[in-house]
Amino acid sequence: MTGTLIVNNLAGLLIISSLLVIGARQPKNSALFYALQSLILVLIFIALAYTMHAEELFLWSGTAFVTKVLLVPYIMYKALGKLQDANADTPVIGMGLLILIAAIIIVLSYLVVDSVKLPMVEDLKPALSVSLSHFFLGLLCIVSQRNILKQIFGYCLMENGAHLTLALMAYKAPELVEIGVATDAIFAVIIMSVMARKIYRTLKTLDVRQLTALKG
């Protein structure tokens, strides 16, 4: 099995893990599925490092493992694990419709990427289309969930998509770039987690439909 085939197959697993993150009823489970997705992303970095002979990606994979597989899920699991609101756990759309919309997003993303001539990633277009679709899957998570905590994971999915795009298109970029992206994600998650906790303590809800008190 060639390196590009491994990368493309692992990218396909990212889509499945994204659906698990979005579809999980409990934010705790979403945190675990996000850790799984981030581990797959690390494996993609390692496969790309061997395929593209890019030593920088080995350091990227180490940084991503620490920040995305360990730190961010731990922060989410511990900081938000005690916040419970059963009324907010029901999504706006059902799982069947969610999968259908996700499939449409994936197909459209592939058609967009396939129509563009990109010699440097000609054999990695499926993986690149996955990275593009992750932006829209993140948006789908945000608009389809009533639970504020689940919407935070929508941002995390978008960030993983950006990370994969960077690895595919700029795998020779300095390690400092990757560290900056990873650090940005950690601080963003911390800030959003603190805001979610304050909202819950003040309004006793995680349902975005109940946040009309924040208007004005």
Side-chain angles (χ1 to χ4, degrees):
M1 182 180 292
T2 64
T4 55
L5 186 58
I6 293 175
V7 171
N8 289 329
N9 287 338
L10 288 173
L13 293 179
L14 284 182
I15 295 296
I16 297 175
S17 61
S18 292
L19 293 177
L20 292 174
V21 170
I22 300 173
R25 287 295 184 94
Q26 297 295 326
K28 275 189 173 183
N29 294 334
S30 291
L32 296 177
F33 288 133
Y34 174 76
L36 174 62
Q37 177 178 105
S38 298
L39 179 60
I40 296 171
L41 187 64
V42 169
L43 295 177
I44 291 177
F45 288 169
I46 295 174
L48 277 173
Y50 280 108
T51 303
M52 301 299 186
H53 306 288
E55 295 182 359
E56 294 84 355
L57 284 176
F58 286 115
L59 295 177
W60 284 32
S61 61
T63 304
F65 181 82
V66 173
T67 56
K68 293 177 173 295
V69 180
L70 300 179
L71 287 182
V72 171
Y74 178 81
I75 291 171
M76 294 292 290
Y77 195 90
K78 287 295 185 180
L80 306 178
K82 296 181 180 180
L83 306 184
Q84 301 291 333
D85 185 357
N87 294 327
D89 289 338
T90 303
V92 177
I93 60 177
M95 192 62 183
L97 182 57
L98 180 69
I99 293 175
L100 176 60
I101 296 174
I104 294 173
I105 289 174
I106 294 166
V107 171
L108 291 177
S109 297
Y110 180 80
L111 293 176
V112 169
V113 171
D114 191 54
S115 64
V116 179
K117 300 300 180 182
L118 298 168
M120 64 183 301
V121 289
E122 185 64 31
D123 296 329
L124 294 172
K125 283 188 175 181
L128 188 59
S129 66
V130 168
S131 69
L132 175 62
S133 65
H134 261 69
F135 288 98
F136 299 102
L137 289 176
L139 288 174
L140 177 62
C141 181
I142 292 173
V143 302
S144 66
Q145 302 297 319
R146 293 162 48 188
N147 193 315
I148 301 172
L149 309 184
K150 292 293 296 295
Q151 292 184 344
I152 296 176
F153 285 107
Y155 163 81
C156 292
L157 294 181
M158 295 174 70
E159 196 275 335
N160 271 358
H163 215 150
L164 180 56
T165 302
L166 180 63
L168 291 170
M169 302 294 292
Y171 46 83
K172 289 291 186 179
E175 295 82 2
L176 186 61
V177 175
E178 192 278 337
I179 293 174
V181 173
T183 304
D184 176 72
I186 292 176
F187 281 108
V189 168
I190 291 175
I191 292 172
M192 288 186 288
S193 300
V194 170
M195 291 180 63
R197 289 174 66 88
K198 287 187 176 295
I199 290 173
Y200 184 77
R201 289 174 179 174
T202 302
L203 303 176
K204 305 302 180 183
T205 184
L206 295 172
D207 192 340
V208 294
R209 300 182 306 174
Q210 306 298 322
L211 301 185
T212 54
L214 298 180
K215 294 183 178 179

